[in-house]
Amino acid sequence: MRPSVLATRATFPDIAARLRAHFDVEDNPADTVWTPAELIRRLQGKQGVMSTGSERIDAALLDACPQLKAVCNVGVGYNNVDVAACTARGVLVTNTPDVLTETTADFGFALMMATARRITESERFLRHGEWTKTGIYDMFVGGDVHGATLGILGMGRIGRAVARRGAMGFGMRVIYHNRSQLAAEAEAECGARYVDKATLLKEADHLVLVLPYSPQSHHAIGAAELAQMKPTATLTNIARGGIVDDAALAQALRAGTIAAAGLDVFEGEPALHPDLLAVPNIVLTPHIGSASVQTRRAMAALTIDNLIAALGFGPRAGKPPTPVNPEVLALAR
Ligand code: 8YV
């Protein structure tokens, strides 16, 4: 009997078609976001799932779906998956690192620049017909990006790619803070210098967040941290909702504690804290950091490679390219 798999969200049909060569596939062409109960119902009897950040894969789901062997998540972040619960039950988890690094770094840089130079705020002004006089000396003056100090919190692959853009493309001084300091060679390669978190907050002209979400990084930037930043500084979050205390950020933007923010991710998305919508000095995008055609296709293809291999098919049978908990594979041998 062919294994059955569930693709929880719509994806590129030509890429998804590869699943049908090996599996009976239930998919979701309407792209509905299922409730946890609906997800469990649809996962009954399935050995694999192609999941996204919209689905919570937790112990309750795993216990209700004991035949599940592989959770292949579209995205480099996998905080929607309880990896320890999966490992304890011998369920393999995979993600999509590397293929999205440069695209997400491009986006982070674009969002940081748009925030520093007030691009969307000034566009709104123009669209509303408010531009009635040319040559106003301080109209939408922002902060420079070139030559400024770029601060990066979290220094994985995407953090390093953002650092390279700042150091090599824009002559920025790049400082970072991370759980662990990079090796000297890695620091030299991306032109960044390690500092403690207090120094990062105090010295950054533009602070970019690129750390994974975990209980330890919840509200890593809240009122106390914002208060340590320069009043001229910007904050850009391309990491995960919940790393920033959105209510505290809205308050800081209103009070002028920092100059501006660029957010691609939010606590409780797709809902937004209403106060964020009420402040002008903010650039808001709907979690599209990895959204280039090439990268979204590469993410889908990698997820499908993982799922096919995880369930023992294809040229990499038993050796999925990007496992999160490879110890499960070792146990299965
Ligand atoms: C995805 C992301 O859009 O890779 C990640 O961690 O946040 C995004 O690239 C998201 O995970 C879709 O599931």
Side-chain angles (χ1 to χ4, degrees):
M1 224 174 73
R2 280 152 58 96
S4 300
V5 300
L6 180 68
T8 61
R9 301 294 302 276
T11 187
F12 300 95
D14 59 316
I15 300 177
R18 284 177 39 219
L19 286 175
R20 299 188 194 279
H22 305 285
F23 309 126
D24 291 335
V25 182
E26 178 177 344
D27 60 5
N28 180 8
D31 207 25
T32 309
V33 179
W34 293 322
T35 62
E38 180 70 3
L39 179 61
I40 287 176
R41 191 182 70 72
R42 290 180 186 267
L43 263 179
Q44 293 306 307
K46 309 270 192 323
Q47 283 79 48
V49 60
M50 177 171 175
S51 56
T52 75
S54 308
E55 295 86 41
R56 177 105 200 102
I57 309 288
D58 56 15
L61 178 143
L62 296 169
D63 288 341
C65 307
Q67 75 303 320
L68 194 63
K69 292 192 166 55
V71 173
C72 297
N73 209 48
V74 188
V76 65
Y78 46 82
N79 54 298
N80 58 308
V81 180
D82 184 337
V83 177
C86 286
T87 306
R89 291 161 181 78
V91 176
L92 183 76
V93 180
T94 68
N95 68 338
T96 64
D98 302 316
V99 292
L100 48 62
T101 300
E102 298 299 328
T103 296
T104 307
D106 281 352
F107 186 85
F109 219 85
L111 189 55
M112 182 263 282
M113 291 192 79
T115 303
R117 295 302 306 274
R118 305 175 66 178
I119 302 243
T120 56
E121 194 184 346
S122 60
E123 186 186 357
R124 279 195 300 276
F125 167 88
L126 193 149
R127 284 181 183 275
H128 291 158
E130 291 171 49
W131 191 27
T132 54
K133 204 162 65 171
T134 57
I136 303 169
Y137 80 99
D138 62 350
M139 187 168 77
F140 290 108
V141 289
D144 270 330
V145 170
H146 73 275
T149 295
L150 173 62
I152 301 179
L153 185 58
M155 203 53 157
R157 286 166 280 230
I158 300 171
R160 295 200 293 273
V162 172
R164 280 197 297 276
R165 281 158 176 74
M168 282 137 213
F170 289 79
M172 300 179 87
R173 169 180 173 252
V174 184
I175 53 176
Y176 75 97
H177 182 71
N178 195 40
R179 269 177 314 185
S180 51
Q181 184 171 355
L182 298 183
E185 277 155 43
E187 286 188 344
E189 185 270 330
C190 67
R193 189 169 63 81
Y194 181 84
V195 293
D196 60 29
K197 188 175 171 187
T199 305
L200 184 82
L201 294 169
K202 187 158 73 91
E203 295 190 1
D205 294 310
H206 305 294
L207 179 61
V208 180
L209 309 181
V210 209
L211 65 168
Y213 180 82
S214 69
Q216 292 72 41
S217 64
H218 183 76
H219 287 186
I221 301 292
E225 289 75 19
L226 291 160
Q228 295 172 61
M229 293 176 67
K230 298 179 184 178
T232 50
T234 73
L235 173 72
T236 298
N237 187 7
I238 55 166
R240 272 291 180 272
I243 292 175
V244 174
D245 177 342
D246 285 349
L249 174 61
Q251 169 59 26
L253 290 170
R254 212 179 299 117
T257 311
I258 64 169
L263 303 181
D264 186 47
V265 288
F266 305 89
E267 294 189 278
E269 61 190 45
L272 258 67
H273 194 293
D275 292 356
L276 291 177
L277 292 169
V279 286
N281 44 341
I282 191 165
V283 182
L284 303 166
T285 52
H287 200 148
I288 56 169
S290 65
S292 73
V293 176
Q294 297 89 334
T295 290
R296 283 289 167 86
R297 287 185 65 84
M299 291 165 71
L302 178 54
T303 307
I304 283 167
D305 287 345
N306 275 314
L307 188 47
I308 291 172
L311 295 183
F313 294 87
R316 296 187 57 119
K319 296 194 195 74
T322 51
V324 169
N325 55 353
E327 58 273 33
V328 168
L329 292 170
L331 286 176
R333 261 187 223 122

